[in-house]
């Protein structure tokens, strides 16, 4: 196992050289992810090394433990071992409950180092992103409240473009400063960018993560160099074409199947007069699309399994893009219908309020109540079975160990792609859909930023409580960034520039305050200027803080000096040996 040393290099760990390796922020030698890898290796590394199979017996059942098989895998296949999962550390869990999950006084403040040491990098980065996003939301939330409470009269048409420009600059600055915070956290936690989030990547064998290189290309060492190059290029380009085909399948499915369904819902919402029926239709719609989305997710998983990627991190990013495409269509097409086709801003604001309130409140209720209900039902079912076996309906049955209690809790898993993603997928998806909703229709409903800020302050605590009390302790997953989600946020910023410019055009046209030709030209100029601002700020603000860069450069220089001196000593020693041999001869 490789670990970070004090000079910045990741070297194979050796016990007798323990002082050369960097310790964790809490003082421990190994991170939670590294300890879990050791546990996993020890547990699943028990294999039958005998010359023949071993007969094992459990109660009245006998079975064979074959040569070379893992003992735990054999016990799992026979249902003797039900599940292997990490237990919560009760002392640290209660400490985190007190100073994090139940600490409402700090609003967005979080003990990120403790979260990292307890849950690992990926969970800690999510909460760092959520906390920073919520803090930054306070500025547009204040602007939105001012626009909602203050009557600007005829100046409102002048104030809205100023608000829109401020929001775009805010979003661009947020994304850039998050990159800086991300690199600072990774440097503080001594995580190496070079190895990414997939520690299983191996380029020396037949399998490189999930990149399945044909065996004949590896084994045939005598192949002509030209033919070998052509074979690898053919394999590479066929993989690209396969990914392009799968992306085209997803896009066409969205256009041909999901788009008519979404437009039908939007049209029904527009023509129905009763607010009660509209509200009921929205609730029914939100429940029904869950089924279609899960179906699309299963299809996407099958398509991704046919694709070739360097590692699981790339596969997970591809899955994120495909699933977000489905959610993007179902979340925004109805809003686009009201905004761009009917130009009914009263209905648009009503739809945005319902989407924000219903979807976010419903999500919070479901993600916190469903795990508890599952746990209660499983506990009730087990106790009922035990009472039935004992023939007694009285007395409370106690669980013999904490492991039994935690086994009944649901796992922190994603709604799709369990082997690639954990429960953070759904949490990131919720944030991305919220960001798109408040950004792309900012001019129509500025108060949405205040709703989002209040929701996210609650989200920090409820998500923490969910991880600490409602679910099993999640398996640690390595990561250096938030992955594809940052690219999705960047995409939504560009989309918001286009949609808000269109909203301003139709809003001004409805008010009759301008002439369409010069007004449209002014909006188009503003759109292009904002796009330039977006890409300009991306270059203006460094993605890496100066102290992180200086520290990295200094350590790289130290590594180069040490390697140079070691190489010179090796060369000098080799020359002395060669001269001695010559003299002897």
């Amino acid at each position: 196992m490789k670990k970070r040393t004090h000079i910045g290099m990741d070297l194979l760990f050796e016990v007798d050289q323990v002082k050369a390796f960097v310790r964790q922020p809490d003082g421990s030698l190994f991170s939670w992810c590294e300890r879990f890898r050791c546990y996993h290796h020890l547990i699943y590394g028990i294999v039958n090394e005998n010359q023949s199979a071993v007969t094992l017996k459990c109660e009245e059942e006998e079975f064979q433990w074959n040569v070379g098989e893992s003992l735990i895998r054999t016990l799992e296949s026979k249902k003797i071992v039900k599940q292997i999962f990490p237990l919560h550390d009760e002392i640290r869990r209660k400490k985190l409950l007190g100073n994090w999950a139940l600490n409402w006084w700090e609003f967005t403040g979080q003990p990120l180092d403790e979260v990292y040491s307890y849950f690992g990098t990926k969970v800690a980065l999510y909460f760092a992103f959520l906390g920073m996003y919520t803090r930054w939301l306070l500025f547009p939330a204040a602007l939105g409240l001012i626009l909602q409470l203050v009557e600007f009269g005829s100046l409102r048409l002048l104030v809205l473009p100023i608000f829109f420009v401020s929001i775009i600059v805010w979003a661009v600055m947020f994304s850039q400063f998050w990159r800086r915070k991300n690199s600072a956290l990774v440097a503080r936690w001594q995580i190496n960018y070079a190895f990414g989030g997939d520690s299983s990547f191996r380029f020396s064998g037949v399998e490189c993560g999930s990149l399945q290189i044909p065996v004949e290309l590896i084994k045939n060492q005598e192949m002509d160099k030209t033919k070998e190059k052509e074979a690898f290029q053919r394999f590479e380009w066929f993989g690209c074409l396969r990914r392009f085909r799968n992306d085209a399948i997803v896009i066409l499915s969205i256009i041909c199947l999901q788009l008519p369904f979404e437009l039908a819902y939007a049209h029904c919402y527009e023509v129905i007069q009763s607010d009660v029926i509209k509200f009921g239709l929205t609730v029914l719609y939100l429940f029904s699309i869950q089924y279609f989305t899960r179906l699309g997710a299963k299809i996407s998983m099958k398509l991704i399994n046919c694709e070739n990627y360097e590692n699981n991190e790339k596969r997970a990013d591809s899955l994120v893009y495909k699933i977000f495409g489905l959610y993007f269509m179902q979340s925004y097409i109805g809003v686009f219908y009201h905004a761009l086709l009917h130009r009914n801003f009263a209905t648009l604001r009503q739809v945005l309020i319902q989407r924000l309130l219903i979807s976010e409140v419903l999500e919070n209720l479901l993600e916190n109540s469903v795990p508890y209900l599952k746990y209660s039902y499983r506990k009730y079912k087990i106790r009922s079975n035990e009472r039935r076996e004992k023939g007694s309906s009285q007395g409370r049955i106690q669980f013999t160990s904490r492991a039994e209690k935690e086994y009944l809790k649901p796992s922190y898993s994603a709604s799709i792609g369990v082997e690639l993603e954990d429960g953070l997928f759904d949490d990131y998806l919720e944030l991305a859909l919220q960001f798109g909703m408040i950004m792309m229709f900012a001019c129509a409903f500025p108060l949405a930023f205040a709703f989002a800020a209040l929701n996210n302050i609650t989200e920090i605590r409820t998500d923490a409580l969910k991880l600490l009390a409602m679910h099993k302790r999640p398996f640690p997953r390595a990561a250096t960034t938030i992955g594809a989600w940052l690219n999705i946020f960047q995409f939504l910023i560009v989309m918001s520039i286009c949609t808000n410019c269109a909203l301003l055009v139709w809003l001004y046209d409805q008010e009759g305050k301008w002439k369409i030709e010069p007004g449209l030209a002014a909006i188009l100029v503003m759109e292009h200027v904002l796009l330039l601002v977006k890409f300009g700020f991306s270059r203006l603000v460094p993605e890496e803080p100066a102290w992180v860069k200086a520290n990295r450069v200094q350590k790289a220089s130290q590594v180069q000096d040490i390697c140079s001196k070691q190489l010179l000593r090796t060369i000098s020693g080799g020359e002395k040996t060669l001269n001695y041999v010559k003299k002897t001869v």
Side-chain angles (χ1 to χ4, degrees), residues 42 99 212 367:
L42 291 172
N99 63 11
Q212 301 294 332
E367 70 183 15

Side-chain angles (χ1 to χ4, degrees), residues 344-561:
N344 189 337
F345 286 92
T347 305
L348 175 60
R349 293 188 186 98
Q350 188 178 8
V351 170
L352 289 173
I353 292 173
Q354 289 186 0
R355 288 293 180 89
L356 285 170
L357 291 179
I358 294 176
S359 61
E360 292 186 352
V361 172
L362 187 64
E363 283 290 335
N364 284 330
L365 287 175
L366 289 177
E367 70 183 15
N368 287 283
S369 61
V370 170
Y372 177 76
L373 292 174
K374 285 182 178 179
Y375 171 69
S376 300
Y377 174 73
R378 290 174 181 174
K379 187 165 62 172
Y380 168 77
K381 190 175 180 180
I382 287 177
R383 284 176 171 168
S384 299
N385 291 336
E386 290 184 359
R387 287 195 185 98
R388 193 179 303 112
E389 290 175 0
K390 293 180 178 180
S392 174
S393 60
Q394 296 180 352
R396 186 175 181 180
I397 297 175
Q398 298 290 340
F399 293 103
T400 57
S401 69
R402 184 163 53 88
E404 288 184 296
K405 290 183 179 180
E406 293 199 22
Y407 168 71
L408 298 177
K409 293 180 180 179
S411 301
Y412 185 60
S413 57
S415 56
I416 49 91
V418 177
E419 64 272 21
L420 294 180
E421 288 287 345
D422 54 14
L424 291 178
F425 174 88
D426 301 293
D427 294 328
Y428 275 121
L429 179 64
E430 185 181 351
L431 288 181
L433 294 176
Q434 179 201 81
F435 183 79
M437 193 72 72
I438 63 178
M439 284 295 298
M440 288 195 291
F441 308 100
C443 291
F445 190 46
L447 193 61
F449 290 92
F451 283 123
L454 290 174
N455 175 79
N456 289 358
I457 291 173
T458 308
E459 189 80 17
I460 293 174
R461 308 304 162 189
T462 55
D463 283 352
L465 188 64
K466 175 178 65 177
L467 280 171
L468 291 168
M470 302 293 181
H471 289 275
K472 295 185 184 76
R473 189 177 182 181
F475 295 103
R477 291 177 181 249
T480 54
T481 66
I482 63 172
W485 295 106
L486 187 59
N487 293 332
I488 289 174
F489 273 75
Q490 298 280 355
F491 164 75
L492 291 173
I493 293 174
V494 176
M495 284 291 297
S496 65
I497 294 174
C498 303
T499 55
N500 281 283
C501 285
L503 287 173
L504 286 175
V505 168
W506 286 308
L507 185 63
Y508 281 15
D509 190 34
Q510 282 184 350
E511 296 287 338
K513 300 290 185 182
W514 68 336
K515 293 183 179 179
I516 187 67
E517 292 84 3
L520 182 59
I523 295 294
L524 289 175
V525 169
M526 184 173 67
E527 178 187 22
H528 285 71
V529 169
L530 287 175
L531 288 172
L532 288 175
V533 167
K534 191 264 180 209
F535 293 107
F537 271 112
S538 301
R539 302 298 179 188
L540 180 63
V541 179
E543 296 184 4
E544 194 176 41
W547 68 269
V548 175
K549 186 175 182 181
N551 191 31
R552 180 170 51 80
V553 171
Q554 180 184 6
K555 289 183 176 179
S557 300
Q558 291 177 355
V559 170
Q560 187 175 7
D561 292 341

Side-chain angles (χ1 to χ4, degrees), residues 66 91-92 99 130 143 148 242 280 290 409 433-434 461 473 482 495 564 576:
N66 296 323
I91 297 176
R92 298 173 67 188
N99 63 11
L130 176 58
L143 291 182
Q148 186 70 24
R242 195 180 295 115
Q290 297 299 320
K409 293 180 180 179
L433 294 176
Q434 179 201 81
R461 308 304 162 189
R473 189 177 182 181
I482 63 172
M495 284 291 297
S564 299
K576 289 179 181 178

